[in-house]
């Protein structure tokens, strides 16, 4: 099964919509709560990053027999220092966003923690592609 | 305990998500950084926060929170209220600090 979502940039209010939709679909399909939790958290973080940093993008979800992959692609600024971005607490988020409880520097660490596989391809000024995989 | 029992025993205002009042509370969590809550809170948690915008409902839904308690009498945003009603996540507001709310949760046996 394949699902596609377009995520709006700057739309904090609808952020998490795609992750919520995927969660609902997986629940209807009878996927175990632990798997749903893993993919939901990883995907929410990636989706939020796209909204907060990259003016939105596209999300493609593939549900196969023994895995779920979520690919998030944006045409944002790219990640300058991926090693630092992976560090807990490191964030480039604005003060405004931080005051809303984002920008804790936990997004990428949470993705790494909850996805079984995390692949990030990023190029400055071109965009970022994040692939999350959770085995069922 | 259920969210309803908590609501009955504490000085809280229910602003949304009435249909979720029978949700079971097994744990508590306090935090205002969404990713920390997302990564650390368990299922069936009563989440205490001072954030009051719509994204708290998104987080609570994704990790199956029992309810959200907004401390310090912060006013929930209108779109947070409508989303909480849609998702059946009880949104409760307390006049007290997060610390005082947590003390009450502990007193009621949510450890």
């Amino acid at each position: 099964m394949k699902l596609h979502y377009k995520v709006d940039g700057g739309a904090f209010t609808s952020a998490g919509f795609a992750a919520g939709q995927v969660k609902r679909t997986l629940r209807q399909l009878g996927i175990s709560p632990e798997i749903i939790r893993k993919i939901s958290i990883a995907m929410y973080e990636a989706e939020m990053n796209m909204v907060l940093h990259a003016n939105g993008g596209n999300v493609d979800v593939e549900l196969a027999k023994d895995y779920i992959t979520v690919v998030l692609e944006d045409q944002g600024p790219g990640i300058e220092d991926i090693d630092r971005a992976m560090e807990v607490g490191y964030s480039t988020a604005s003060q405004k966003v931080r005051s809303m409880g984002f920008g804790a520097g936990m997004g990428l660490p949470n993705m790494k923690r909850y996805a079984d596989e995390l692949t990030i391809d990023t190029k400055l000024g071109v965009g970022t592609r994040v692939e999350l995989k959770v085995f069922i | 305990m259920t969210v309803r029992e908590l609501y009955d025993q504490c000085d809280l205002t229910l602003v949304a998500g009435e249909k979720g009042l029978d949700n079971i509370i097994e744990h508590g969590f306090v935090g205002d950084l969404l990713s920390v809550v997302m990564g650390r809170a368990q299922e069936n948690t009563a989440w205490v926060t001072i954030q009051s915008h719509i994204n708290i409902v998104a987080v609570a839904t994704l990790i199956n929170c029992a309810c959200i308690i907004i401390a310090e009498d912060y006013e929930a945003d209108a779109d947070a209220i409508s989303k909480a009603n849609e998702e059946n996540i009880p949104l409760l507001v307390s006049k007290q600090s997060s610390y005082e709310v947590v003390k009450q949760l502990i007193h009621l046996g949510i450890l």
Side-chain angles (χ1 to χ4, degrees):
Chain A
M1 178 189 268
K2 289 189 177 176
L3 304 164
H4 178 83
Y5 302 95
K6 190 163 172 39
V7 175
D8 282 346
F12 295 154
T13 51
S14 61
F17 171 81
Q21 288 290 314
V22 168
K23 182 187 176 185
R24 207 159 293 151
T25 305
L26 295 177
R27 203 161 45 191
Q28 281 162 4
L29 292 168
I31 305 289
S32 82
E34 195 42 43
I35 300 292
I36 295 178
R37 182 179 164 86
K38 285 170 71 174
I39 200 75
S40 297
I41 293 174
M43 181 173 167
Y44 176 81
E45 294 288 7
E47 188 182 340
M48 266 334 296
N49 273 355
M50 253 181 8
V51 172
L52 297 172
H53 298 289
N55 203 29
N58 286 290
V59 184
D60 285 285
V61 181
E62 185 193 354
L63 176 61
K65 197 168 153 276
D66 49 5
Y67 64 86
I68 304 162
T69 54
V70 181
V71 176
L72 302 101
E73 273 179 292
D74 67 60
Q75 274 86 52
I79 302 167
E80 194 169 337
D81 187 338
I82 190 76
D83 291 333
R84 288 209 72 190
M86 293 304 296
E87 286 173 18
V88 172
Y90 179 77
S91 174
T92 58
S94 67
Q95 270 310 319
K96 182 197 166 209
V97 161
R98 284 172 201 247
S99 72
M100 292 173 73
F102 298 110
M106 287 283 290
L108 285 166
N110 267 354
M111 283 181 230
K112 194 176 174 194
R113 182 167 165 198
Y114 286 99
D116 293 324
E117 285 178 11
L118 169 65
T119 313
I120 302 173
D121 297 309
T122 186
K123 202 168 175 197
L124 283 182
V126 178
T128 300
R129 179 184 186 277
V130 173
E131 184 172 332
L132 308 160
K133 191 168 198 170
V134 171
F135 293 105
I136 298 175
Chain B
M1 75 185 312
T2 64
V3 179
R4 190 184 304 277
E5 286 167 332
L6 173 74
Y7 174 53
D8 287 345
Q9 291 176 60
C10 298
D11 188 12
L12 299 166
T13 308
L14 179 71
V15 295
E18 196 178 350
K19 285 185 187 158
L21 278 178
D22 293 319
N23 288 350
I24 304 285
I25 303 172
E26 289 180 327
H27 309 282
F29 198 89
V30 55
D32 306 316
L33 292 174
L34 304 188
S35 287
V36 175
V37 177
M38 191 88 186
R40 302 277 297 154
Q42 294 167 277
E43 287 200 342
N44 304 324
T45 284
W47 170 25
V48 184
T49 182
I50 56 167
Q51 299 290 350
S52 52
H53 53 84
I54 187 171
N55 285 282
I56 59 172
V57 184
V59 168
T61 305
L62 285 172
I63 60 172
N64 295 330
C65 277
C67 65
I68 303 170
I69 304 169
I70 301 175
E72 304 279 4
D73 210 17
Y74 279 101
E75 193 179 338
D77 292 355
D79 51 9
I81 289 174
S82 66
K83 189 75 178 163
N85 280 327
E86 202 180 297
E87 300 286 353
N88 300 327
I89 301 272
L91 208 51
L92 302 145
V93 177
S94 170
K95 289 190 169 62
Q96 294 179 303
S97 68
S98 297
Y99 178 71
E100 291 296 331
V101 174
V102 170
K103 272 168 58 182
Q104 286 180 52
L105 292 176
I106 291 170
H107 180 70
L108 290 169
I110 299 162
L111 303 175

